[in-house]
Amino acid sequence: QMFNSRICSIKDTNELSSEVSKIVKQGTILLLNGELGSGKTQFVRFLGNHLNVLDSISSPTFLILNIYECDKNFKIYHFDFYRVNSIEELEQVGFFEILNQRKDLIIVEWANRYKDLFLNETDRTIDIYFNFIKDNINQREISIKGSE
């Protein structure tokens, strides 16, 4: 296991995303899970900053997919499965081609909605869980486990 879980302020979350930015590479899949408002998109924004993404990052909830260029040798495909109702919708946005190319960074919010899609990808998957902490609105518990 890479990191265990830690309690994160917004500043800590940024530092954690910086650590993650140093280990992602072509083909890495980041699976982000946590309730609405738990910090998934914020984490992706921070990660994008560390990877020098040119555009501002927003949650692709309504579009399913946003694509970003960064200064690495890969693109960033940022999926949000929250409103995905079927595998067909993922086929329509080219999810499986992107997955099988293994040449870009794939980030999936609400990945657990279709977690079976990633069962054969454990060699390149990093799971990140965002949990609220009771009575503390400014911190989250973030757990990371990965194959790296």
Side-chain angles (χ1 to χ4, degrees):
Q1 278 205 334
M2 212 160 37
F3 313 105
N4 39 19
S5 76
R6 54 177 102 165
I7 306 298
C8 290
S9 65
I10 197 86
K11 182 170 168 289
D12 299 328
T13 303
N14 189 18
E15 286 168 14
L16 187 61
S17 73
S18 174
E19 290 176 40
V20 172
S21 76
K22 295 181 176 85
I23 58 167
V24 298
K25 54 184 189 282
Q26 289 184 309
T28 299
I29 305 170
L30 298 181
L31 302 180
L32 310 188
N33 288 295
E35 292 171 55
L36 277 174
S38 60
K40 298 181 297 297
T41 303
Q42 181 62 64
F43 180 88
V44 179
R45 280 197 191 102
F46 284 146
L47 184 68
N49 290 341
H50 296 300
L51 295 172
N52 297 315
V53 165
L54 306 174
D55 306 302
S56 59
I57 287 179
S58 58
S59 172
T61 301
F62 295 101
L63 303 167
I64 303 179
L65 169 64
N66 288 338
I67 304 171
Y68 304 105
E69 303 274 349
C70 66
D71 69 354
K72 305 281 182 263
N73 59 348
F74 51 75
K75 287 194 188 118
I76 299 170
Y77 287 91
H78 181 199
F79 290 91
D80 187 328
F81 285 2
Y82 187 64
R83 290 178 191 276
V84 174
N85 296 311
S86 67
I87 297 293
E88 287 71 41
E89 288 181 27
L90 291 176
E91 282 174 349
Q92 282 163 12
V93 296
F95 171 78
F96 295 99
E97 287 94 330
I98 294 161
L99 186 69
N100 294 329
Q101 278 169 356
R102 299 179 77 100
K103 69 180 175 71
D104 294 294
L105 171 60
I106 297 174
I107 302 173
V108 184
E109 297 192 39
W110 295 93
N112 54 358
R113 298 205 59 224
Y114 291 93
K115 57 176 179 287
D116 291 357
L117 297 179
F118 303 101
L119 288 176
N120 297 325
E121 309 297 339
T122 50
D123 61 313
R124 57 179 176 136
T125 301
I126 299 169
D127 289 279
I128 308 181
Y129 299 91
F130 298 80
N131 292 302
F132 288 106
I133 297 168
K134 192 170 158 47
D135 301 326
N136 185 341
I137 59 164
N138 296 314
Q139 293 188 314
R140 301 285 185 266
E141 180 191 18
I142 303 179
S143 317
I144 300 190
K145 59 185 181 36
S147 58
E148 304 295 311

